[in-house]
Amino acid sequence: MSGHRTGRPEAYDDQEKDAGPPVLEHHVLKSLLGAWALAACSRAEASAVEEHLGTCGPCADEALRLRAAVGLLQRPESLDPDPGLRTRVLEACLERRPPRVPVPEWAAPYDTETARLDALLQDFGDSEWHAPVRLRWYESDEASSRRTTVAGVIAHLLAVDGLVSVALGLRDPLGDATAVRPVPSDRTEAYWRASRFPPTRSVRAPWRDQSHALVRTVSFTGGGTGRLPVSYGDYELPLHDAMLDRAFECWVHAEDIAEAVDYPYDPPSGRHLHRIVDLAARMLPAVLEHRRQHGLASPVERHLVAAGEPGRSLRLEIEGSGGGEWLIPLDSPAAKGSAEHEVAHVALDGAEFCRLAAGHVSPREAAAGQVGDRDAIKDVLFAAASMSRM
């Protein structure tokens, strides 16, 4: 079969290798430029064209234009839409015709991330739904993991999103199943145990329906519900932060799924990523205090700072998409971050910081840049990792 690649005997190709470029007229060489740009010429023809391009300026210019056009036809990057495309299209539509019932701004990241994940899932066959996935997080400052499948991940999202459903008075997806504790991990285990068989593609419909119901409910009830408390069992988040938390986990597990099926998946748009980073940065002081009370962070060497007063701070600089700067108070969650009292500076990429907070990146290897108090830097990075959970 290899002897007929060009439709000519192999011996002809061997002779062609030894012979010099054929002598062809200008109009013939010009007609070959398109085939040459597409790498569709024979070796002899390509040699003749390339020799001609060294002496003919007009043909050389035409060849450059054709090569550039071929480059546009053969884009090396993913054909998947930019994650910000959906947001930009919706914004353009809404500028022309505002919605009667707008989605609150704090619920938009969840709306977008669930839509992106659903688009990834829509063409999955049985083999993809049963592809192995390892859920990863940090527990007691050590990396932990739990093996499941793509369908098991969607069941996990369904069970934990159910915490928001319950807070809004909607149906709990666990039904009659009972979790040992009302925390995300126990709810997930309860849902998995209640399934007669390991979760399959059938879990997609209830997860999608629940995500639509959550967005629809918070939209109809208006922005005033944003402070409604959502219980995670051992702590609470106001609804507007809980929806950001759910958007964050949806994206992180979408990346887990995409990795399992060897498919590219981009981080959220810059605006949504900034909101997610901001949530984590706002939670860090309380997490630091909790770890300090349990002997997992450096003790405060001076008196606790009064509420609202400036105290020792770490500057968290987030680079790239979703970037910004946050001053993290180190000595008390009630203290105010202060540039004058800055003792350390950490720089991280936005998506990398979120992966740290998801337990997917080791705190020992996370920061791209670190300056200042080493203990403060270590405390903040480990506190970020400790926010992760199954």
Side-chain angles (χ1 to χ4, degrees):
M1 191 168 173
S2 61
H4 297 283
R5 267 189 325 233
T6 63
R8 295 174 288 186
E10 212 166 82
Y12 182 92
D13 289 339
D14 291 338
Q15 291 170 9
E16 194 174 57
K17 276 189 254 182
D18 298 332
V23 179
L24 300 174
E25 295 182 17
H26 178 271
H27 73 277
V28 176
L29 291 164
K30 185 176 181 180
S31 70
L32 287 171
L33 290 178
W36 173 83
L38 291 166
C41 288
S42 69
R43 283 185 291 271
E45 290 167 343
S47 296
V49 169
E50 287 160 7
E51 184 174 297
H52 177 66
L53 295 179
T55 60
C56 180
C59 283
D61 292 340
E62 179 68 12
L64 285 174
R65 285 193 293 270
L66 290 170
R67 270 285 166 90
V70 169
L72 292 174
L73 294 172
Q74 298 176 334
R75 293 172 66 86
E77 56 268 15
S78 168
L79 294 178
D80 288 333
D82 182 313
L85 178 61
R86 181 177 187 270
T87 300
R88 292 196 298 272
V89 170
L90 285 174
E91 283 177 348
C93 293
L94 297 177
E95 283 177 4
R96 295 176 64 90
R97 179 177 294 180
R100 292 181 180 176
V101 183
V103 175
E105 199 170 333
W106 42 264
Y110 177 79
D111 184 28
T112 299
E113 292 310 310
T114 52
R116 288 211 299 148
L117 175 53
D118 192 43
L120 173 67
L121 299 173
Q122 67 181 353
D123 294 325
F124 276 17
D126 289 341
S127 60
E128 285 89 359
W129 279 102
H130 294 292
V133 178
R134 188 166 290 280
L135 300 177
R136 294 169 287 163
W137 69 97
Y138 261 71
E139 190 171 351
S140 301
D141 289 350
E142 295 293 334
S144 300
S145 66
R146 178 76 152 78
R147 185 184 173 90
T148 183
T149 63
V150 168
V153 174
I154 301 303
H156 167 59
L157 290 174
L158 174 68
V160 185
D161 283 1
L163 292 168
V164 183
S165 287
V166 171
L168 289 170
L170 302 176
R171 176 183 175 275
D172 188 342
L174 262 63
D176 295 331
T178 303
V180 176
R181 296 173 301 153
V183 298
S185 57
D186 286 4
R187 283 179 60 85
T188 298
E189 296 287 358
Y191 190 93
W192 284 343
R193 285 194 306 270
S195 301
R196 197 168 190 180
F197 302 102
T200 65
R201 67 166 69 238
S202 63
V203 75
R204 180 190 172 203
W207 167 76
R208 182 180 56 198
D209 291 345
Q210 178 176 258
S211 66
H212 290 173
L214 291 178
V215 173
R216 187 167 56 248
T217 301
V218 299
S219 299
F220 274 106
T221 53
T225 60
R227 297 189 179 280
L228 179 75
V230 177
S231 174
Y232 281 71
D234 45 9
Y235 64 94
E236 287 184 349
L237 288 177
L239 179 61
H240 56 76
D241 283 346
M243 293 296 282
L244 279 174
D245 171 75
R246 304 316 308 138
F248 166 56
E249 189 164 0
C250 182
W251 159 50
V252 167
H253 288 321
E255 278 198 339
D256 291 336
I257 290 170
E259 182 180 345
V261 299
D262 195 24
Y263 197 84
Y265 203 83
D266 291 324
S269 66
R271 188 172 66 182
H272 292 172
L273 189 62
H274 180 87
R275 282 180 165 271
I276 291 170
V277 171
D278 179 68
L279 171 63
R282 286 189 284 111
M283 294 176 67
L284 273 172
V287 175
L288 269 172
E289 178 66 14
H290 178 79
R291 288 174 57 80
R292 187 174 289 119
Q293 290 172 354
H294 289 80
L296 297 173
S298 304
V300 178
E301 296 178 359
R302 58 185 71 181
H303 295 295
L304 288 178
V305 179
E309 293 297 316
R312 288 192 319 141
S313 303
L314 176 142
R315 183 180 299 274
L316 175 63
E317 180 182 355
I318 300 300
E319 302 170 334
S321 179
E325 291 190 355
W326 288 262
L327 287 165
I328 312 298
L330 298 171
D331 297 331
S332 168
K336 180 182 177 182
S338 167
E340 290 76 16
H341 295 78
E342 180 181 323
V343 298
H345 184 172
V346 170
L348 273 164
D349 172 76
E352 193 75 354
F353 173 72
C354 289
R355 294 186 183 107
L356 168 67
H360 286 201
V361 172
S362 166
R364 295 181 179 86
E365 303 168 357
Q370 305 179 6
V371 178
D373 188 319
R374 308 304 297 176
D375 287 338
I377 292 169
K378 177 185 174 184
D379 286 346
V380 168
L381 293 179
F382 272 85
S386 73
M387 290 193 289
S388 64
R389 59 175 183 267
M390 186 181 82

